[in-house]
Amino acid sequence: MDLPMIEFACNLFDDGALEDYYIIGAQHILSSTLTMFKSLFKKGLKPENISLLGKCYSTEYEAYFSMKREGIDVSPYSINFDSHESFDESYSLSIREFINKRKDRITSSKYKKIIVLDDGGEMIEAINEMLDDHHNIIGMEQTSSGYRKLQDKHINFPVINMARSKAKLTVETERVISLGYEKFEKHLNNLDNIKKVLILGQGPIGSTIYQHLKDKFAVSRFDLNLFVKSDISHEEFNHKLKEFDLIIGCTGTTSITKEQHQYLKKGVVLVSLSSTDREFDALHLRKKAPKSKHCWHHINCDGIYLMNMGFPISFDSSDDIDDPLFFQFTRSLIMSSIYQALTVTNEKGFVDLDEGLQNMMINKFKDNRILASRNNGTA
């Protein structure tokens, strides 16, 4: 497969530049993640100097086992799931166990720097709390939820802020929404008797989904932010829940608690387009079904149909989790962050991702998208 964005970003590095660096991270275990690291092997990064922890709902099994065969230290927790356990709680514990087992490596003097690649802020927070010496550590946070988690905390080492970079917010946000809707639409075609839809959250994802659905269904919107458009008041929210056949969660928080499940219509379909499984208090529903180790199953609990075990529908068990062009761009920003980490020194807390690097990747992405459109006959 032609991956010009990854090759382009790889050329930032001199030969041998990464020979004495250790990368530890919480990352999606996808084929493009492996491709990114394999490109960096050419620049001196050793497979045994990479330790990764993934999330079960965004792990491709083939990518996981390919990483193991390459010699990358990838945690088996990346493919572990127990439907009767809280994902957020078990993930937080696994992060700390993961770091504890690698403390000697993180604190080793043989590496020039320790680079922490985080998705969600948990690993950076844990390393900040669990270690006394941070002089050799550089972090990178790639998600807005991770940025929000860390922004008010005192972090004792620099963290490159990919999450709120212009490149990520302008290019990646657009594609995240588009990819999420593509996956959602496939499932929507298999659902019957959907007439009334409620969208929870009117941020970029929720508002875009509204535009896609408003001419197909009777769609209502709800947001806790009083300054954002809502069709339902806070006071009438519980009472109105019983009216909807499909509820789409886009808040990134728990938008419907287990105490509110009683107000839901029998047969309602719950779909998350946010992160982890917290949108609908999914654990409470899953505990009413037999235990499962498959995080992409749909379940029916007390007349409530929970899709994808409550995890974001953007990730499922299909073979097309990874979108080559889009994920190349994300990986190119991660590689730009690694490149910047080689020279960042004494700062503490968030450091802006270098604007010059961002512009290089945005321009390359635009060129590749135009070329892909021409090759597909859509330009």
Side-chain angles (χ1 to χ4, degrees):
M1 183 185 292
D2 186 26
L3 297 171
M5 288 291 308
I6 288 178
E7 289 303 313
F8 181 71
C10 186
N11 287 332
L12 292 170
F13 299 86
D14 294 331
D15 291 342
L18 294 169
E19 190 170 350
D20 298 317
Y21 288 80
Y22 175 54
I23 292 178
I24 182 169
Q27 291 288 296
H28 298 309
I29 307 301
L30 300 171
S31 58
S32 61
T33 311
L34 176 58
T35 301
M36 175 183 74
F37 283 122
K38 287 175 77 171
S39 74
L40 294 177
F41 294 165
K42 303 171 191 174
K43 303 300 180 178
L45 183 63
K46 299 180 178 67
E48 62 269 24
N49 286 353
I50 305 170
S51 295
L52 299 177
L53 176 67
K55 300 175 182 179
C56 61
Y57 64 87
S58 62
T59 292
E60 289 179 343
Y61 282 18
E62 183 177 346
Y64 170 82
F65 289 110
S66 294
M67 286 184 183
K68 300 286 274 189
R69 287 193 293 271
E70 287 287 341
I72 294 172
D73 170 30
V74 55
S75 169
Y77 178 79
S78 307
I79 56 174
N80 287 352
F81 173 66
D82 185 332
S83 63
H84 285 197
E85 291 183 0
S86 162
F87 175 83
D88 285 340
E89 290 178 9
S90 59
Y91 180 69
S92 182
L93 289 172
S94 295
I95 283 277
R96 282 154 176 76
E97 181 182 341
F98 179 78
I99 292 167
N100 258 327
K101 288 183 176 178
R102 292 155 183 84
K103 250 185 177 179
D104 288 346
R105 300 196 68 183
I106 300 171
T107 57
S108 172
S109 59
K110 72 177 182 178
Y111 302 113
K112 287 183 179 177
K113 285 183 182 175
I114 312 299
I115 301 175
V116 184
L117 303 179
D118 206 358
D119 181 317
E122 287 274 357
M123 186 166 288
I124 287 173
E125 181 181 44
I127 286 176
N128 189 57
E129 292 174 356
M130 294 170 65
L131 301 181
D132 296 324
D133 185 1
H134 304 94
H135 81 279
N136 210 27
I137 298 173
I138 308 289
M140 183 284 298
E141 176 51 51
Q142 69 189 69
T143 67
S144 291
S145 60
Y147 171 77
R148 289 191 295 270
K149 183 180 183 67
L150 298 172
Q151 64 178 333
D152 295 326
K153 298 185 183 299
H154 181 73
I155 305 298
N156 294 302
F157 50 89
V159 178
I160 295 169
N161 189 2
M162 174 182 154
R164 307 304 295 171
S165 64
K166 175 184 70 173
K168 181 143 189 316
L169 294 176
T170 56
V171 177
E172 190 189 85
T173 299
E174 170 196 338
R175 189 61 188 118
V176 165
I177 294 169
S178 177
L179 180 61
Y181 182 73
E182 287 170 19
K183 291 295 184 83
F184 167 68
E185 193 171 36
K186 288 180 183 179
H187 292 286
L188 185 61
N189 292 333
N190 296 322
L191 299 176
D192 297 322
N193 302 316
I194 302 298
K195 295 178 181 178
K196 297 193 72 174
V197 177
L198 174 62
I199 300 174
L200 302 171
Q202 280 298 291
I205 296 176
S207 57
T208 304
I209 296 299
Y210 173 76
Q211 293 301 321
H212 279 293
L213 298 183
K214 66 184 177 65
D215 296 327
K216 301 177 183 179
F217 305 96
V219 183
S220 297
R221 297 162 289 182
F222 179 78
D223 197 294
L224 286 171
N225 187 338
L226 297 175
F227 300 101
V228 174
K229 176 65 177 176
S230 280
D231 301 306
I232 301 171
S233 70
H234 293 191
E235 293 75 19
E236 63 182 345
F237 180 70
N238 286 349
H239 177 71
K240 288 285 188 179
L241 282 176
K242 64 185 178 184
E243 298 180 7
F244 297 101
D245 308 302
L246 170 66
I247 299 177
I248 305 167
C250 309
T251 70
T253 61
T254 303
S255 55
I256 296 180
T257 66
K258 61 185 179 184
E259 290 80 16
Q260 292 172 304
H261 290 171
Q262 63 181 307
Y263 302 113
L264 295 170
K265 180 179 183 177
K266 291 297 181 184
V268 66
V269 178
L270 303 180
V271 177
S272 172
L273 278 169
S274 60
S275 56
T276 77
D277 62 344
R278 65 179 72 104
E279 193 77 40
F280 303 114
D281 233 342
L283 175 63
H284 181 72
L285 293 171
R286 294 198 303 256
K287 282 185 172 180
K288 296 181 179 182
K291 267 193 179 188
S292 174
K293 295 187 177 297
H294 301 284
C295 60
W296 298 303
H297 282 179
H298 311 318
I299 56 173
N300 196 326
C301 306
D302 288 349
I304 298 171
Y305 190 65
L306 181 69
M307 297 193 72
N308 223 37
M309 288 287 188
F311 293 106
I313 205 71
S314 314
F315 295 102
D316 57 28
S317 58
S318 64
D319 294 331
D320 59 344
I321 289 178
D322 216 345
D323 175 335
L325 185 59
F326 163 61
F327 279 100
Q328 278 186 78
F329 180 73
T330 304
R331 301 300 173 262
S332 76
L333 294 182
I334 294 174
M335 294 166 78
S336 298
S337 300
I338 294 171
Y339 178 74
Q340 185 173 338
L342 304 188
T343 55
V344 170
T345 53
N346 298 321
E347 293 90 341
K348 291 185 179 181
F350 282 111
V351 177
D352 290 340
L353 178 58
D354 181 82
E355 189 171 351
L357 293 173
Q358 292 187 58
N359 289 333
M360 287 171 62
M361 299 309 154
I362 289 172
N363 291 333
K364 184 66 174 178
F365 178 77
K366 288 178 179 177
D367 291 344
N368 286 330
R369 187 155 62 172
I370 291 169
L371 181 60
S373 296
R374 287 174 179 165
N375 291 340
N376 291 331
T378 58

